[in-house]
Amino acid sequence: MAKVKIGEREWDTDGPYMTEQRESNDILNDTIALRERLKEDGYLFIRGFHERGHVLAAREAFIGRLAERGRLAPGTPPEEAVIGPDNKGTSFQGSHDQPQQLLDLVHSPGTFAFFDRLLGGETMTFDYKWVRAVGHGDFTGAHYDIVYMGRGTKNLYTMWTPLGDIPYEMGGLAILAGSGHLNRLRETYGQMDVDKDKVTGWFTTDPLELIETYGGRWATAEYRAGDAVIFGMYTMHGSLTNQTNRFRLSVDTRYQLRSEPADERWVGSNPKGHYAWTKGKTVTMEEARRQWGV
């Protein structure tokens, strides 16, 4: 048992509010079982999904970019990704100028073969990639991905890949297991489009609120380079707080059937991404939730 932190909440990893993610390597070759578990839990946690060497090569490429931006602590080993004195997290988003090492990782034949099998047809991935370097004290609040990319098929899946080994204290992914079955949230918050509705995206920064209102437990893990977590658009998730002096590096990529419509914001040679969210007057999540009654 270990202590973990989400925002200002500190919990045991085997307590009433937090548990370990269930690994799915035991059913990796059973497509029907994978689909059933994904439907039940809202996620698949697969150890060693990627080749570790590909992960570490992508990590090295992005650490180089952090160094170019002056984000690393002077005089420290680059491979440690020690956060510089200004403690500025950053992201590397978009489709242009993504290093080949990242594309080798998330476009690998094994990755597409897995999603082809899981989804039952030829799959594609968004051209837009989301790579994040999370600083000390930072975390991601609880949210659905659908509110950011819901204009195409709802049969869309996120693959979260840690770029390196991520112990609890570095702030890895946390999932509210079974949260895809929370119909009231799906019918309200889950219908939002951040560019159209101009609502701040996170549902809450307090993970306890969701448990007290809707039940369930958060699930996390200590991740190793090569692991992957796959989850659907209505899986409530966020991250633990990074309590270390090193950047937490990870990448989010999205996969869907090629035959189904794709959200136009994230595909093509130059995806436009979010074009209105956070621009001009924005509706607070508190105000939106009052209107929804959740």
Side-chain angles (χ1 to χ4, degrees):
M1 185 185 301
K3 291 282 188 182
V4 298
K5 191 174 183 180
I6 306 183
E8 297 305 315
R9 301 287 185 182
E10 188 173 71
W11 295 327
D12 292 325
T13 53
D14 186 18
Y17 305 121
M18 177 67 69
T19 188
E20 291 282 345
Q21 286 180 1
R22 175 159 61 158
E23 297 179 19
S24 289
N25 293 71
D26 59 325
I27 58 170
L28 192 54
N29 295 318
D30 187 338
T31 304
I32 293 175
L34 286 172
R35 291 171 179 166
E36 290 176 347
R37 183 165 294 180
L38 187 57
K39 183 177 181 180
E40 177 185 355
D41 292 349
Y43 71 93
L44 299 172
F45 174 31
I46 302 173
R47 293 283 192 189
F49 181 91
H50 303 287
E51 290 188 24
R52 184 177 174 89
H54 285 174
V55 176
L56 296 180
R59 173 182 172 80
E60 183 178 0
F62 283 105
I63 287 176
R65 296 189 174 193
L66 286 169
E68 292 170 0
R69 295 186 181 185
R71 299 294 173 84
L72 300 181
T76 60
E79 65 272 14
E80 292 294 320
V82 177
I83 301 168
D86 56 1
N87 189 35
K88 287 185 178 179
T90 190
S91 61
F92 306 89
Q93 299 185 10
S95 59
H96 290 300
D97 195 31
Q98 291 290 357
Q100 188 62 44
Q101 296 93 325
L102 176 70
L103 301 181
D104 289 343
L105 175 66
V106 299
H107 291 179
S108 72
T111 297
F112 279 115
F114 174 83
F115 280 101
D116 288 354
R117 178 165 62 92
L118 183 69
L119 302 187
E122 182 185 3
T123 55
M124 58 168 280
T125 185
F126 286 171
D127 298 291
Y128 201 101
K129 315 299 182 190
W130 291 257
V131 181
R132 296 183 173 87
V134 178
H136 175 79
D138 293 340
F139 75 105
T140 301
H143 64 283
Y144 283 163
D145 278 351
I146 194 71
V147 305
Y148 303 99
M149 53 197 68
R151 296 185 186 179
T153 179
K154 305 302 186 286
N155 190 33
L156 175 69
Y157 294 90
T158 292
M159 179 172 69
W160 182 84
T161 300
L163 296 179
D165 299 331
I166 299 180
Y168 295 126
E169 61 269 19
M170 194 176 282
L173 178 73
I175 281 177
L176 186 62
S179 51
H181 303 294
L182 302 178
N183 290 333
R184 182 59 181 155
L185 292 185
R186 290 176 65 118
E187 294 165 357
T188 53
Y189 172 65
Q191 301 302 309
M192 189 185 78
D193 178 316
V194 295
D195 282 308
K196 290 180 179 178
D197 300 316
K198 304 293 288 294
V199 177
T200 53
W202 294 351
F203 183 78
T204 182
T205 57
D206 184 357
L208 181 60
E209 177 195 4
L210 284 162
I211 295 174
E212 290 181 333
T213 305
Y214 301 103
R217 282 198 295 176
W218 288 91
T220 191
E222 291 199 288
Y223 301 100
R224 301 189 289 267
D227 295 345
V229 185
I230 295 152
F231 53 93
M233 291 293 102
Y234 295 98
T235 297
M236 192 68 74
H237 63 284
S239 80
L240 306 183
T241 302
N242 184 358
Q243 302 178 70
T244 74
N245 68 342
R246 296 182 293 141
F247 282 111
R248 187 265 278 172
L249 287 163
S250 62
V251 57
D252 298 342
T253 43
R254 272 79 194 195
Y255 301 84
Q256 65 168 79
L257 288 170
R258 188 174 293 278
S259 60
E260 296 186 353
D263 190 323
E264 77 283 357
R265 291 170 291 183
W266 312 113
V267 294
S269 59
N270 186 25
K272 64 183 177 182
H274 291 303
Y275 58 88
W277 182 42
T278 73
K279 297 178 181 177
K281 185 178 180 180
T282 301
V283 179
T284 66
M285 185 56 66
E286 290 75 14
E287 179 180 345
R289 288 179 56 178
R290 282 196 296 271
Q291 295 174 1
W292 300 330
V294 294

